[in-house]
Each structure stands twice: as C-alpha cells, then as structure tokens.
Amino acid sequence: MTLHHELSGPADAPVLVLGNSLGTTTALWEPQLPELAERFRVLRYDHRGHGGSPASRGPRRIDDLAEDVLELLDALGVRRVSYCGVSMGAMVGMWLAGHAPERIDRLVLCCTTATYDTARPWEERAAAVRANGTGSIAPAVVSRWFTPALRERSPQTVARFEHMLSTVDDESYAGCCEALGELDLRAVLSKIVAPTAVIAGARDEATPPESLRAIADAIPGASLSVVDAAHLANVEAPDAVAEILREHLK
Ligand SMILES: O=C(O)CC1=CCC(=O)O1
C-alpha cells in the first residue's frame, strides 16, 4: 500500500510526520503547516481510502494503518521521525511509538483515545456507511468535530470538512470504524519512551479530556495540555496547538 503523501520544508531538516483523524485528509494540518515547514521536513499522508490514498478492503486493525506508515517511511528512506497525530492519526502514533520505538523521536497525541468502552457505535457507523455511503453520516459526525460557536462563526469550515469526509471511500472508512471498535492500545502506553505531549479539547465529546488524561498518566513523563476546542482542536484552536508543538518539538 503506497499512501498518498506530501513533503514540505527543507530537504535536510528532521522529519516530522503529521497524521490525520478518521475522515480527514492532509488538509487537516493546513493551520500549522507553514510554521512547521520552516523547521522540519514535514511529511503529511492520507490514510488508506482517504484523500489521495488508494482504497482498500481493510484496515481491520489499527496495526494495518501503522504498518502503512512504516512502509511509507521505508520507501522514502526515512529511519527516525517525530510524529504528531490527531485522533485516529494519534492512535497510529501510539502504536508506532510503542511497537517501533527506535523510529520515533518526539510524539504529540491530540484528541484521541487508547480504547473505546464499546464497539457498538463503530459497528453501527460501519454498517451505515456500507449501506448509504460516507456522505450520509457527514453532517452528524462533523457536527461533533467543532463547538457550536465555531459552527456558527465559520459554516464554511463545517462545509469543507463535511465535503472532505464525504470523499472518503466507503469500504475503507467502514474498515477504519471496525479497527476503532476493537482498538486497545493501553498495554503499549507504558512502553513509549519518546517524549510525549498530549493535547485534549476541553469540549471534545468524541474523545473527552478524561481519555487524554488516562493516556498522559500511562506514558512515562508525558505532559497534558487542554485547549478550548472540540475534536479537531488543531483547526478550532490553531494558535494554542501551534504553541504546544513549538515548545514540545524544539
Ligand atoms: O469521527 C469521529 O466521530 C471522531 C473520531 C474518532 C476517531 C477519529 O479519528 O475521529
């Protein structure tokens, strides 16, 4: 699986990988890209079936998405990177830092969880998408990505992300839902040795701050910051997230 990817920034700078949430593409990171690309060789990629990456019948597990990233790094000849992910992108980051610690320098985990209480909502979402496509769930799902204040202030942002989600391949999206339903990364957290910054959205209902607190408590030495945002905190609170990245990745 060769993932669609985009490289920005100086060719000889340290590599920073940016991982996206379920249903988003490399465009997720546009608020932070210009600053990050001044100091890093930034590698953005699309999960399978998202954006420009080929569709697949899986993934079945988060391991599949993480192994796609290792394959991409190997293809690019990149050995060690810092990794920064939002939600499902951060789940991939936890997996990589726990299973391939020699590949990960610094880690940022934003608006994510190591496990879900129940697989049922993910099974239902997978079934809905297989029946009616990603467009059918986009308005309800995207409404949870932003606070009411952001939705009121910037309906064009909501429309842009609804469109982005609607373009994701149905079967690939359903496979991601199933991978999330069986997600359990709790055992790898204590193995993470990369310095880790954890970021929670104070108003995130998809992955509430308690989930991020549990992750920060389980990763040795990890810090926790809470920003005023819902699930896509790097979009809703771009400056606060940029400041945390600036401090943690310096
Ligand atoms: O799409 C959602 O409901 C929220 C979410 C869970 C994992 C992810 O990446 O986004």
Side-chain angles (χ1 to χ4, degrees), residues 17 21 53-54 56 75 90 103 114 117-118 124 140 148 158-159 166 196 224 229 239 250:
V17 180
S21 62
S53 286
S56 77
R103 309 291 297 259
D117 292 341
T118 161
E124 289 172 356
V158 176
S166 305
T196 301
L224 173 66
D239 296 341
K250 73 182 174 198

Side-chain angles (χ1 to χ4, degrees), residues 56-70:
S56 77
R57 289 205 56 76
R60 294 282 168 254
R61 309 179 64 210
I62 206 74
D63 313 34
D64 300 323
L65 297 177
E67 281 160 8
D68 288 346
V69 175
L70 288 178

Side-chain angles (χ1 to χ4, degrees), residues 115-174:
T115 191
Y116 288 96
D117 292 341
T118 161
R120 176 67 70 85
W122 293 111
E123 290 163 1
E124 289 172 356
R125 202 190 290 190
V129 163
R130 285 194 174 107
N132 299 309
T134 46
S136 69
I137 60 154
V141 168
V142 173
S143 74
R144 290 192 296 273
W145 290 356
F146 303 109
T147 60
L150 184 289
R151 299 204 304 270
E152 170 94 21
R153 183 169 81 240
S154 185
Q156 66 278 17
T157 301
V158 176
R160 194 161 65 88
F161 278 90
E162 282 184 12
H163 175 71
M164 202 183 291
L165 170 51
S166 305
T167 65
V168 178
D169 170 66
D170 299 339
E171 185 54 39
S172 305
Y173 187 97

